[in-house]
Amino acid sequence: MELTINVAVLLAVIIFVRIRHRKVQARSRNDQWLTVFLALAFGVLIAPTAFGQGVFGFVGQLAQGVTQSASP
């Protein structure tokens, strides 16, 4: 029996746990940078998937709408 782990799913779980872990205590700068690095790595892993392309399209449309509404 072989167990495989999807790295993107594993990173999503780690990011979720890190964000929910300390709500009361202040985070150190290194702790914040680690979370940012993990989120960036997660984004790179999920980008080529269909879900990642859908999120990219949605965020692009949202950004386009915001810039059009902000221009005179």
Side-chain angles (χ1 to χ4, degrees), residues 38-68:
L38 289 173
L40 182 62
F42 177 69
V44 167
L45 287 173
I46 199 170
T49 65
F51 176 73
Q53 292 298 314
V55 170
F56 180 71
F58 174 74
V59 171
Q61 289 177 355
L62 183 65
Q64 185 179 17
V66 169
T67 56
Q68 286 179 353

Side-chain angles (χ1 to χ4, degrees), residues 6-15 18 32-49 52:
N6 188 341
V7 177
V9 172
L10 181 62
L11 275 177
V13 170
I14 291 171
I15 292 168
R18 289 189 58 80
Q32 290 176 345
W33 277 112
L34 180 61
T35 304
V36 167
F37 174 75
L38 289 173
L40 182 62
F42 177 69
V44 167
L45 287 173
I46 199 170
T49 65

